[in-house]
Amino acid sequence: MRQWRARCVRTLAASAVLLGAAGFGGQPAAVAAAASSCPLPSGGQLQGIDVSSLNHPGDAPIDWPQVASCGYRFAFVKVSEGSYYVNSYYQADLAGAEDAGLLAAPYQFAIPNYSGGTLQADYAVNNADLQPNGMTLPLTVDLEPDPYVSQDHTNECYGLSAAKMVSWIRAFVTEAARRTGQLPIIYTTAAWWNKCTDRSEAFAADPLWVAQYGVSQPALPAGWAGYAYWQYSATATVTGIENQADADYFNDAAMQLAVPATQSDATGSTVQLNVGSLNAAAGQQLSYTAAGLPSGLAINPSTGVISGQLGSSPATAQVTVTATAAGGPAGSVSFGWQVHGPVTLASVPNQASTAGAPARLQLQAADGLPGCSLTFTAAGLPPGLSVSSCGLITGWLQAPGNSAVTVSVADSSGAVLGTTTFSWHVGAADRTGQPAGQVRLNTAGKCLDQLSAGRAGIWRCDHRAGERWRIGQDGTLRIGGRCLSAPASGTGSAVTLANCDGSTAQQWQPGSGATLASVRAGRCLAAAASRNGAAVQLA
């Protein structure tokens, strides 16, 4: 089902053998026919797919408009695994699915014996770049048999006791809910869950995405009375996707709402927001109610459209919309609504910095409300810098030069409410460098070493001359008048020593987990092997 680390790729069907789980082998003809789906089979259930980088053979893109034309209404997209891998296709796939009209959700493949649940939740959220845009469903945590048993020599439960597994899941769920405001969806199988958590019932409040193939109804893990999503096939043929994909049903006895963006509108303005388009229960007759609306607004109970004219005073509101289907299932979603006054964007003094240095500059705008109520954009920033939607400019300055920066601020209507300009001078850095001594790599206790004039590698840490590195103010690693230089290509490419030229190929910066990351390639420094003299490369 998933793409794991490059050293091991295996289907969930094969993993399930570890548990002796039924239903993951061959499918009955009726189910197999249902999985060959464009057009979708009849039956009325809302259907979706889930994808990872495995669905891009030969770098082939997914044609999301074709997927949507088949009738699929939602998609799960792998964002990350453990706290070491990010799916390079995630951003394009999530945006492509949502642009094609599908509700979408990122999922994190959990590796509970690699790092803690809190860290992996943060890693997923940080890389998911979640935008409450009315099309994104909650984050999902994928819990299934350990695909690396042959490498980590544990078992299908990652070598964790049931108590430790439950503690890990609780940490992930708590942090994900804190960061996103929504309980994450839990993906699992009944067999894995009941074995590895000892039938824990502690997470019944989380929406369940259950996997089981070749059955008329899936077996449920302990604690859940029903599922929100059911992965019923791993062999769906979908127009727009080069190879087979996983296919899923949405339970029409459940309700899942996407979170709309925080609304920010001027006092006295006329607004219209269709919350009725945010549900994953299309086709049902729904009725809507709303609590906490700003003064002057009301919701249409039949369509879910919120409209009206806002009042004249700045105010903040927390709105909760509830959708109820005929027959009982209901779902709620909460979001903020900020009613701002006239906007004043503060001027920014001209900036002067040095190449290779970090930058941090907070922009300011007053609109009668506290906190981040407006959206900032910036054009013309020096290379290496970016601006957050709340106006924080950060990054590492990559090269000397002069930039003319234009900052704009807007609300959710998209109208520009203020602009300001300033210059940013980036001077050349001192390239002499400060003594750093040894640079240790976590490979059998080895150190980065100048093996020859043009070659870097690893050697035992013995304080030899080839291990006496200097760190330049421009972010370079220097030794003997030469600089550690990254190639343009990606993972597996050898790192060399070259004449220092101040380019981004020779700039390095700290990454997560005490790594050194190449500014040019966006990859980390690693050893090709653990023996003395092994090359260093990008990974």
Side-chain angles (χ1 to χ4, degrees), residues 159-421:
L160 273 61
S161 67
K164 288 184 177 179
M165 183 65 75
V166 169
S167 178
W168 190 98
I169 297 169
R170 182 176 291 112
F172 186 101
V173 166
T174 300
E175 182 67 358
R178 184 189 73 82
R179 290 286 303 275
T180 69
Q182 291 180 293
L183 285 172
I185 299 166
I186 291 178
Y187 170 98
T188 194
T189 69
W192 185 91
W193 184 269
N194 292 342
K195 179 179 179 66
C196 296
T197 73
D198 193 22
R199 303 183 63 84
S200 173
E201 298 183 3
F203 303 96
D206 289 76
L208 172 66
W209 177 17
V210 65
Q212 190 173 11
Y213 313 146
V215 295
S216 58
Q217 284 295 322
L220 297 178
W224 281 280
Y227 65 85
Y229 303 91
W230 169 23
Q231 185 187 81
Y232 67 89
S233 172
T235 56
T237 301
V238 181
T239 301
I241 301 179
E242 289 289 323
N243 56 6
Q244 292 179 325
D246 301 327
D248 309 274
Y249 286 133
F250 176 76
N251 187 354
D252 58 10
M255 182 76 70
Q256 186 78 65
L257 301 180
V259 179
T262 296
Q263 302 299 299
S264 176
D265 296 284
T267 54
S269 60
T270 300
V271 299
Q272 186 166 356
L273 175 66
N274 185 3
V275 183
S277 66
L278 310 184
N279 73 84
Q284 297 188 46
Q285 184 63 43
L286 304 177
S287 59
Y288 296 89
T289 59
L293 286 171
S295 176
L297 303 186
I299 190 168
N300 185 310
S302 299
T303 64
V305 174
I306 297 173
S307 60
Q309 186 174 17
L310 293 166
S312 58
S313 300
T316 60
Q318 187 67 18
V319 179
T320 299
V321 173
T322 300
T324 305
S332 296
V333 64
S334 297
F335 58 98
W337 206 313
Q338 297 163 329
V339 184
H340 65 80
V343 173
T344 302
L345 178 60
S347 61
V348 181
N350 294 332
Q351 302 292 303
S353 307
T354 303
R360 181 182 177 89
L361 176 64
Q362 179 64 61
L363 306 172
Q364 302 288 341
D367 63 355
L369 295 176
C372 176
S373 53
L374 301 169
T375 300
F376 290 82
T377 57
L381 286 171
L385 303 189
S386 61
V387 64
S388 74
S389 60
C390 288
L392 180 61
I393 296 175
T394 56
W396 291 74
L397 294 153
Q398 294 182 358
N402 294 299
S403 299
V405 183
T406 299
V407 171
S408 301
V409 66
D411 62 14
S412 55
S413 72
V416 175
L417 305 174
T419 61
T420 189
T421 60

